[in-house]
Amino acid sequence: MNPRTLSPLLRQAQCLRHAPKPSFRPVIRQHQFTGSSRRPNDSPRNPLDPIALQRIDAQRRAHYNRRSYYAGAGMAFSMVAIYVLTTSWDLPPKPLQNDSPRADIGGIERGTPVVGGVTGGTEIRKVGEGTPTDGDKEKVEQVPTGTSTIPTFPKILNLATDDSGKTGGVPTEYHLMGLGIRTVSFLGIQVYVVGLYIATDDIAALQQALIRHIDPVATTLVPNEKDKLRTKLLDAEIGEEIWTQVLKESGIRTAVRIVPTRNTDFMHLRDGWVRGITTRTQKASQKGSAEFEDEGFAKAMGELKGIFSGGSKKALPKGKTLLLTRDGKGVLQAWCDDTKMGEVRDERVGRQVWLGYLAGKNVASEGARRDVVEGVMEFVERPVGTVATQVV
């Protein structure tokens, strides 16, 4: 075949070879949806999907957190309000047995017995007897207590307890060593004012017993020696050892005067003393001491509890005086309204009650303990035997 004849055919074949291929696209039918129509395969959106659950949980936690904040703020406000009310709002006092109005208490003659032992003047009376002494008419210096409820304590007490019969019934003069306020809870709620007294004639024995722990041959202490004694008395361990020896061996006569700043009861006071005694006796047993493990001490503790138990011995109103005395042999006596409540003859019980105010890691009133220490510092800075002659 002639090449000239074939060339048109070849060109036509090449054109067909390079011609674009037709494209086939699927036809998609457009469906028109109204507001109420859905696709058959579409499902409604789940309202509890993970994002919605997280939001709901966050809202619930925020709600409970707000409730916790409001409850905590309300509790704190309530506690502060209770503290303010109990410390600044004085209830009307109960009338005294002599039916004297409170405004006239300051004008009562010193010869008139007053129930509770708290008057506008000085408390000096014979414990255990209704008839006041001649010295009751004399004014005695008052010491501020630091609280408006019981503003002052007398610096001198004249007490005629059972053991003073040896002096022909003449009341024994007691001198205030120190005082403080017993508080409870972290709010510092005041319970009572406590003062520790010592028989004026026994101050020399106390001086000698304390000075001996610094210098056995000295009769007075110089300033640096006073600082050493003060440090020892404030130490929990050493102070307890010193006061234990003083109370056991010196034969001094002492008294603890308690006046509540609010209505309380004897069982509350008793439980506080018993807890303190139990703690100290257990500590002594752990150190190997068997001093408090005999039946005699357990019986004496029962006697102490019995003094402050019973229906007639429950209430101790605000302002009424409770007096605990400890004679030279360590016999503990309790007095209220010039009436003897009872006694414990085992000297260990009275000594442990006294130690609850004088020494140890946790005392009933830290202010009283420190004030007593400062009081004895005034004793030891003077020669032995000279303080009693200077006491007014």
Side-chain angles (χ1 to χ4, degrees):
M1 189 176 287
N2 191 356
R4 293 181 179 180
T5 306
L6 293 174
S7 60
L9 296 174
L10 291 174
R11 284 196 297 270
Q12 184 178 1
Q14 290 177 355
C15 290
L16 293 174
R17 186 182 304 167
H18 295 286
K21 297 180 180 181
S23 60
F24 296 93
R25 296 181 180 178
V27 177
I28 300 177
R29 294 182 179 181
Q30 301 292 333
H31 295 275
Q32 302 250 349
F33 294 96
T34 62
S36 60
S37 62
R38 294 181 182 274
R39 295 181 181 179
N41 295 332
D42 286 350
S43 58
R45 180 181 178 85
N46 184 6
L48 299 180
D49 60 8
I51 296 178
L53 288 174
Q54 291 177 3
R55 291 175 179 173
I56 293 174
D57 184 62
Q59 292 175 356
R60 183 169 60 250
R61 282 181 308 194
H63 170 70
Y64 287 116
N65 286 340
R66 285 194 299 271
R67 289 185 60 182
S68 300
Y69 298 151
Y70 294 152
M75 182 178 66
F77 176 78
S78 300
M79 297 178 69
V80 172
I82 292 173
Y83 172 73
V84 171
L85 289 175
T86 54
T87 55
S88 60
W89 189 275
D90 290 334
L91 297 175
K94 293 183 179 180
L96 302 175
Q97 285 188 359
N98 58 4
D99 296 328
S100 299
R102 188 173 183 82
D104 296 333
I105 291 179
I108 293 177
E109 293 292 336
R110 297 309 304 160
T112 304
V114 179
V115 176
V118 179
T119 67
T122 304
E123 179 191 47
I124 298 185
R125 58 174 47 200
K126 297 178 68 176
V127 174
E129 298 184 15
T131 304
T133 64
D134 294 336
D136 288 353
K137 297 181 181 180
E138 299 175 1
K139 291 291 183 179
V140 175
E141 178 183 355
Q142 300 290 309
V143 179
T145 62
T147 176
S148 59
T149 309
I150 309 296
T152 60
F153 257 37
K155 191 171 184 179
I156 300 296
L157 290 179
N158 284 339
L159 307 177
T161 57
D162 289 351
D163 64 326
S164 63
K166 299 177 182 179
T167 61
V170 177
T172 302
E173 183 181 85
Y174 284 75
H175 182 81
L176 179 65
M177 291 194 294
L179 56 80
I181 303 173
R182 162 72 168 167
T183 59
V184 295
S185 83
F186 68 95
L187 293 175
I189 298 176
Q190 298 178 357
V191 181
Y192 60 80
V193 182
V194 56
L196 282 84
Y197 292 80
I198 181 173
T200 304
D201 294 337
D202 296 341
I203 293 179
L206 177 63
Q207 286 179 283
Q208 190 173 4
L210 293 176
I211 292 174
R212 188 183 302 123
H213 287 277
I214 302 299
D215 189 340
V217 297
T219 59
T220 185
L221 296 182
V222 296
N224 62 333
E225 293 175 332
K226 285 174 51 181
D227 293 338
K228 292 180 182 178
L229 179 60
R230 180 185 292 107
T231 302
K232 287 186 175 182
L233 292 177
L234 293 177
D235 184 84
E237 299 291 336
I238 302 176
E240 186 170 348
E241 294 176 1
I242 293 176
W243 282 115
T244 297
Q245 185 176 356
V246 170
L247 294 173
K248 284 179 65 175
E249 301 176 2
S250 64
I252 59 175
R253 294 162 294 174
T254 51
V256 173
R257 184 177 187 262
I258 295 173
V259 182
T261 59
R262 63 185 63 251
N263 293 337
T264 184
D265 55 72
F266 290 109
M267 289 183 288
H268 172 77
L269 299 175
R270 178 202 65 188
D271 293 342
W273 295 327
V274 171
R275 282 195 300 268
I277 293 174
T278 302
T279 301
R280 283 187 294 276
T281 54
Q282 289 178 350
K283 183 179 177 181
S285 299
Q286 292 174 358
K287 292 182 178 181
S289 174
E291 181 181 3
F292 307 103
E293 297 181 358
D294 60 291
E295 295 183 1
F297 182 74
K299 181 180 178 181
M301 286 296 296
E303 294 174 355
L304 176 67
K305 296 177 183 178
I307 292 175
F308 302 100
S309 301
S312 61
K313 302 176 181 178
K314 278 188 176 181
L316 185 62
K318 180 179 73 172
K320 182 172 287 190
T321 300
L322 172 66
L323 195 67
L324 304 178
T325 62
R326 190 173 185 272
D327 63 14
K329 297 180 180 179
V331 177
L332 171 67
Q333 298 178 354
W335 302 83
C336 186
D337 283 347
D338 293 344
T339 302
K340 184 177 179 180
M341 301 174 61
E343 68 177 23
V344 181
R345 304 198 66 82
D346 193 325
E347 71 87 19
R348 294 173 294 182
V349 174
R351 187 203 331 153
Q352 290 298 319
V353 173
W354 262 236
L355 287 176
Y357 296 101
L358 293 172
K361 186 176 181 181
N362 297 313
V363 292
S365 171
E366 181 64 27
R369 190 254 292 270
R370 292 186 175 274
D371 202 40
V372 169
V373 171
E374 295 304 319
V376 299
M377 291 300 108
E378 298 179 4
F379 293 163
V380 298
E381 70 183 2
R382 304 176 184 176
V384 174
T386 62
V387 176
T389 60
Q390 299 178 12
V391 174
V392 179

